[in-house]
Amino acid sequence: MVKRMISFVLVCVIAVSCSLPCFAETTQVVKTKIPAPQKIVFLGDSIAAGYGLEGYSDNGGSPKDCYASILGERYKKEIGNKCEAIMINAAVSGDTSAQLLEKLETGNLDNYIFGSNAVVISIGGNDIMGPALEFLSEDLGLKSEEDIKNFNTLTLAKPSVLAKINEKLDKISSNLETFKSNLDRIITNIRSKTQAVIVFQTVYDPLEEKKSIKAVADMMGGKIKELNSIITQGAKGSDGSDRYLVCDVYEGFKGKSLEYTNIEKFDIHPSAEGHKQIAELVDKQIKTQKYSFEELVEKEDAPKAKKMSSTRIYVTIGLFFGGFIVLFMFVWIKFRRDTR
């Protein structure tokens, strides 16, 4: 009886070995070049989320004039019908680098990042602009453009105001140190989940042309430069390798903050024109890399082997493993009998 079972298992092994290769040998993985990333993901804060644009919602989505949407539509047209082009805008207004890092480390963004070809990040502005805007609105009472126009710069010389300025500057300096650490962990986390091209945006200076509060604008401008220096220096690894590409939005907006932001409405966020500019700047970095997608296709020169249905595959594999189980049971029973 045992010999019969061994013969049965051998038959199953032969069936499996002869039938399964016909699938592996008749197909192959083919890489097809495409002009843009098939799946691009945008992470970060209100700049990437499109805050202030028509159609913006705190519930998510991506306004049509947002640079993420602009590039998503552009790449869809460029790729055409070669494959499905995917754009995901997972940016959240108000997020700091610490909040983005938390989302990454808890896995909340994994479904977006897995399988991506490009990841674009806009983060860090809230790390330094938060304390600055708090100082302007709460400590100086500047809550509208009219307030700024009527602002008496001599107010900045008051001891109480100077103390507040120093307090905020210390807070911003502390935030910059934290940002540097967060940046490294953000990149490391993303890289552990995808080999996608990573593009990190620098932060523009929305106050550079506000002459009425020049002293405050200059102080903030200095801190923004420090932030951007951290972003630029972090692009290279300790071994000199490229960790990510830098999209220099700061330089792209320089001297044009009145046109590219809504600062005239006391809103530091990019205008529709600003988003068009960011789209061009990001696209320039994206296009420095090459992209492709993989698909499983029939080999042209493969023999016309008869394909098995999935049901037959499962039955064959089931017989294979089932035979082993039955054989084991009979051998064990025989062993027990022989040892009595």
Side-chain angles (χ1 to χ4, degrees):
M1 186 66 179
V2 173
K3 291 182 178 179
R4 291 180 182 178
M5 290 308 304
I6 293 174
S7 299
F8 172 75
V9 172
L10 288 175
V11 170
C12 290
V13 171
I14 293 171
V16 171
S17 61
C18 292
S19 59
L20 293 183
C22 70
F23 300 97
E25 293 177 359
T26 59
T27 59
Q28 61 183 343
V29 175
V30 174
K31 282 188 176 183
T32 303
K33 292 182 179 180
I34 49 179
Q38 178 187 7
K39 181 180 179 180
I40 184 168
V41 180
F42 294 84
L43 304 177
D45 50 29
S46 55
I47 295 175
Y51 180 91
L53 294 174
E54 181 180 353
Y56 170 81
S57 171
D58 287 332
N59 296 324
S62 191
K64 65 179 181 62
D65 291 329
C66 176
Y67 65 89
S69 297
I70 293 172
L71 292 177
E73 288 301 312
R74 178 181 300 180
Y75 296 158
K76 185 182 295 183
K77 291 177 181 177
E78 291 180 0
I79 292 173
N81 59 2
K82 292 182 178 180
C83 61
E84 180 187 9
I86 302 171
M87 187 283 287
I88 298 174
N89 191 346
V92 178
S93 293
D95 267 10
T96 61
S97 61
Q99 289 169 312
L100 174 58
L101 178 61
E102 181 182 9
K103 289 182 173 72
L104 288 167
E105 292 187 336
T106 55
N108 289 344
L109 299 174
D110 284 0
N111 288 339
Y112 300 142
I113 295 173
F114 287 148
S116 60
N117 306 107
V119 177
V120 182
I121 307 171
S122 169
I123 204 71
N126 291 320
D127 292 54
I128 59 174
M129 291 303 293
L133 294 177
E134 183 180 282
F135 170 71
L136 291 175
S137 63
E138 296 183 12
D139 298 320
L140 296 184
L142 304 180
K143 299 181 180 181
S144 68
E145 184 61 25
E146 190 64 27
D147 291 335
I148 293 178
K149 289 179 180 179
N150 297 327
F151 179 68
N152 184 353
T153 56
L154 294 177
T155 303
L156 297 174
K158 293 181 179 180
S160 59
V161 175
L162 287 173
K164 282 290 184 181
I165 291 176
N166 289 328
E167 178 186 323
K168 299 302 181 185
L169 289 176
D170 288 342
K171 174 63 175 175
I172 292 172
S173 295
S174 175
N175 287 355
L176 285 172
E177 286 298 317
T178 303
F179 173 79
K180 185 175 182 179
S181 172
N182 290 343
L183 169 61
D184 182 68
R185 292 168 63 185
I186 285 170
I187 298 302
T188 299
N189 187 282
I190 293 174
R191 184 56 70 218
S192 70
K193 298 168 182 174
T194 179
Q195 291 303 307
V197 174
I198 302 176
V199 179
F200 211 114
Q201 300 169 208
T202 58
V203 178
Y204 60 85
D205 185 354
L207 300 176
E208 64 168 341
E209 296 184 85
K210 301 308 293 180
K211 306 301 182 185
S212 56
I213 51 172
K214 187 177 184 304
V216 176
D218 287 347
M219 283 186 287
M220 282 312 305
K223 292 301 179 182
I224 290 173
K225 288 180 180 179
E226 287 184 42
L227 176 75
N228 290 334
S229 178
I230 293 172
I231 293 172
T232 302
Q233 292 174 11
K236 291 286 185 182
S238 57
D239 59 353
S241 61
D242 293 325
R243 302 180 70 206
Y244 54 85
L245 302 176
V246 176
C247 176
D248 202 347
V249 177
Y250 176 85
E251 284 295 327
F253 274 47
K254 195 171 183 178
K256 296 184 178 181
S257 63
L258 295 180
E259 177 185 357
Y260 288 158
T261 74
N262 294 315
I263 196 63
E264 290 286 64
K265 300 177 182 177
F266 206 65
D267 178 5
I268 64 172
H269 294 93
S271 61
E273 285 301 312
H275 277 273
K276 289 180 183 178
Q277 173 69 349
I278 297 176
E280 297 306 315
L281 294 170
V282 171
D283 180 64
K284 186 177 180 180
Q285 293 300 318
I286 290 290
K287 294 299 177 59
T288 63
Q289 306 299 304
K290 295 180 180 180
Y291 303 92
S292 63
F293 74 96
E294 296 180 352
E295 58 183 339
L296 192 65
V297 299
E298 289 281 345
K299 288 184 179 179
E300 293 183 2
D301 58 347
K304 300 297 182 179
K306 185 177 180 181
K307 295 183 179 180
M308 294 175 64
S309 67
S310 59
T311 301
R312 289 184 62 192
I313 295 174
Y314 296 144
V315 169
T316 302
I317 295 175
L319 288 172
F320 178 72
F321 289 105
F324 269 118
I325 294 172
V326 173
L327 175 61
F328 174 79
M329 290 175 63
F330 272 89
V331 171
W332 182 76
I333 293 172
K334 180 174 175 49
F335 175 77
R336 293 280 293 177
R337 288 176 178 174
D338 292 343
T339 55
R340 287 178 179 178

